[in-house]
Amino acid sequence: SQQGEEDPQALSIQEGENATMNCSYKTSINNLQWYRQNSGRGLVHLILIRSNEREKHSGRLRVTLDTSKKSSSLLITASRAADTASYFCARVLFSGSARQLTFGSGTQLTVLP
Amino acid sequence: SQTIHQWPATLVQPVGSPLSLECTVEGTSNPNLYWYRQAAGRGLQLLFYSVGIGQISSEVPQNLSASRPQDRQFILSSKKLLLSDSGFYLCAWSVLAGVGEQFFGPGTRLTVL
């Protein structure tokens, strides 16, 4: 079963506004990652935050992690029409040399020009 | 640089027919390899992962199977397709024993009629 769930399921904003997506999970993690998927394409890794980190930035992306609440948020600032895509969080658990990712159901972001 | 290939890009198959989807990775050695399935508008479901040649772990019982005949080749198969096998199949790789960042192929859209 999927143990990472994003909300909202869909988000529609105007270009230039900020977009915030949330992710909750149920079990422990080694790290948490966010991915982006354009329609009909593969996923692209955006950012990784380790379990001992609370906040991380990459360009217009800001990710927070609260392990006590088992939640993470992804903020995209000054959104652009090209940011329109589905965004997924993935809980990462190390199991020997394997790296198991459990994906949430995603947030569909639409940025209107 | 590393690249990941999947083929075919799209496939339409009748119920009961066999299936073979292929994934190859270039530019890296000893990767972890993964097969996911994505239903329309949903998140990713991990089907199989492999940490080495001939080593396959199955996450979901079903009529699919996977094989890893070479270090950078991962094959998803079925002897008899079901209607419920329709979906978007994604192959991914990650560095063995790395932080778990995954790199995805372009996907195969499978429609079973």
Side-chain angles (χ1 to χ4, degrees):
Chain A
S1 63
Q2 294 182 339
Q3 296 189 36
E5 296 299 330
E6 289 94 337
D7 77 272
Q9 289 187 338
L11 179 62
S12 184
I13 59 174
Q14 294 293 132
E15 208 165 23
E17 294 180 338
N18 296 341
T20 300
M21 290 160 269
N22 303 296
C23 169
S24 62
Y25 57 93
K26 295 179 182 177
T27 60
S28 61
I29 60 170
N30 290 101
N31 65 61
L32 187 141
Q33 302 177 21
W34 286 88
Y35 288 79
R36 166 196 168 121
Q37 183 182 33
N38 286 65
S39 180
R41 308 292 293 274
L43 278 71
V44 176
H45 180 266
L46 294 176
I47 193 166
L48 177 155
I49 186 164
R50 300 177 194 273
S51 59
N52 61 353
E53 296 177 314
R54 293 297 167 256
E55 187 171 313
K56 203 161 183 181
H57 297 255
S58 176
R60 294 185 295 114
L61 304 180
R62 172 178 169 250
V63 171
T64 62
L65 179 65
D66 187 334
T67 52
S68 66
K69 296 181 179 178
K70 290 186 166 56
S71 67
S72 174
S73 67
L74 172 68
L75 169 68
I76 303 175
T77 60
S79 63
R80 306 165 181 167
D83 293 329
T84 294
S86 292
Y87 292 82
F88 296 89
C89 71
R91 174 179 70 86
V92 183
L93 199 58
F94 295 174
S95 177
S97 56
R99 300 293 181 258
Q100 295 196 39
L101 272 64
T102 304
F103 285 85
S105 52
T107 293
Q108 172 62 53
L109 173 66
T110 302
V111 181
L112 303 170
Chain B
S1 63
Q2 301 88 8
T3 55
I4 178 169
H5 304 279
Q6 276 186 254
W7 64 91
T10 60
L11 191 59
V12 180
Q13 292 284 98
V15 169
S17 64
L19 173 73
S20 181
L21 302 181
E22 190 162 342
C23 171
T24 59
V25 181
E26 296 177 356
T28 188
S29 297
N30 305 314
N32 285 342
L33 295 172
Y34 308 83
W35 277 113
Y36 292 91
R37 177 168 59 201
Q38 185 178 31
R42 302 294 300 278
L44 277 67
Q45 179 186 39
L46 178 64
L47 301 175
F48 301 95
Y49 69 91
S50 171
V51 299
I53 295 174
Q55 299 179 62
I56 309 294
S57 295
S58 174
E59 290 296 301
V60 182
Q62 58 214 320
N63 71 322
L64 299 172
S65 62
S67 63
R68 184 170 177 175
Q70 300 180 46
D71 181 46
R72 290 169 290 178
Q73 184 184 29
F74 207 22
I75 298 171
L76 183 69
S77 304
S78 174
K79 293 181 179 178
K80 289 186 177 181
L81 284 169
L82 307 172
L83 286 174
S84 57
D85 291 324
S86 293
F88 191 48
Y89 288 82
L90 288 159
C91 180
W93 73 272
S94 67
V95 173
L96 185 69
V99 296
E101 177 183 351
Q102 293 192 358
F103 302 90
F104 284 81
T108 295
R109 175 76 57 194
L110 172 65
T111 303
V112 182
L113 302 175

